[in-house]
Amino acid sequence: MPTTTRDGTTLQYRTDGDGATVAFVPDIGVGPWFWGWQHAGLAGPFETLTWAMRGTDGSDPPAGPCSVATLANDLDVVLRDHGTDSVHLVGSGLGAMVALHYARNSGRVRKLALLAGAATGDAYDPEPLFADPADAGACRETLSPALSADFRAEQPDVLDGIADWRGDEDADRESWENQRAALDGFDAEPLYEVDHPTLVVVPGADELLDPEAGRRLADELPRGEVVTYPDASHFVGIERSRPVNDALLGFFESED
């Protein structure tokens, strides 16, 4: 897979498909596996770009605590290395905050889709999600706060697969903590400066990020629109992959 380097840190990414580029910005500590459901749904009509944040999969670990700006600058280097001048961004959790920051500070972004997102870092408590990648049991058990009880009961094989992928690609404790530091003090205000068409996907049963923060985000963005899945938890793109993918396709294919 292609790699690029920023400040001595190697960053790995992957692209598939043709057409306008959709880049995916992952949640805290998770590898590119996280976007497998959306990647499969959008590659073809679009070119998809998935990126391993520092400390996950084939990217080097962070040298110290990250900021949202650090992660957004990493994204910029990946997009420049690939030759991407115009991009739709999809971010989840911490990745939604990185996407917001990047959209404000870059001329590359056309549209935003923010899953389980918020305008401030203090709205998100990801600690229950962490698992040591070497602990297969924990990789499965700590999915409980991220996926609803119904989904876990109905799709145990999916949970087993996710646990395996987490063991292969997710961040260890040190890298996870350095990513988590990006939440400290993050504030995307003033949101009126982010005037891109933005789809905000709110999982109504999110245990890690207050759903009201997502609704406020949609209300305060000048061109924000919201879609809510009342019974879905934090990993809404996995739980509701088909309707979420349909919403993303319709949003990105529509006229600005």
Side-chain angles (χ1 to χ4, degrees), residues 21-25 35 49 51 75 79 86-91 95-96 98-104 106 108-115 197-199 248 251-252:
T21 302
V22 178
F24 295 92
V25 190
W35 293 116
L49 185 152
W51 154 54
L75 172 62
L79 294 175
S86 177
V87 66
H88 301 307
L89 285 185
V90 184
V98 174
L100 269 173
H101 180 89
Y102 187 72
R104 171 180 281 129
S106 170
R108 298 181 198 274
V109 179
R110 293 174 58 191
K111 293 184 178 182
L112 288 169
L114 308 176
L115 283 59
T198 305
L199 179 68
L248 293 174
F251 179 62
F252 292 141

Side-chain angles (χ1 to χ4, degrees), residues 3-148:
T3 61
T4 187
T5 302
R6 176 173 175 265
D7 296 338
T9 299
T10 296
L11 303 169
Q12 180 176 280
Y13 65 96
R14 171 182 172 178
T15 61
D16 286 287
D18 297 306
T21 302
V22 178
F24 295 92
V25 190
D27 208 336
I28 182 170
V30 297
W33 68 262
F34 182 74
W35 293 116
W37 290 259
Q38 281 63 57
H39 171 270
L42 272 68
F46 295 94
E47 177 188 59
T48 59
L49 185 152
T50 52
W51 154 54
M53 286 207 299
R54 296 179 181 221
T56 65
D57 198 26
S59 291
D60 287 344
C66 298
S67 66
V68 166
T70 296
L71 300 174
N73 288 338
D74 287 351
L75 172 62
D76 187 64
V77 166
V78 167
L79 294 175
R80 281 195 284 115
D81 186 76
H82 184 55
T84 304
D85 295 324
S86 177
V87 66
H88 301 307
L89 285 185
V90 184
S92 179
L94 173 59
M97 300 176 197
V98 174
L100 269 173
H101 180 89
Y102 187 72
R104 171 180 281 129
N105 293 283
S106 170
R108 298 181 198 274
V109 179
R110 293 174 58 191
K111 293 184 178 182
L112 288 169
L114 308 176
L115 283 59
T120 59
D122 59 7
Y124 185 20
D125 177 15
E127 177 61 31
L129 183 60
F130 174 76
D132 182 347
D135 186 339
C139 285
R140 196 183 195 283
E141 290 170 10
T142 55
L143 293 170
S144 294
L147 296 166
S148 69

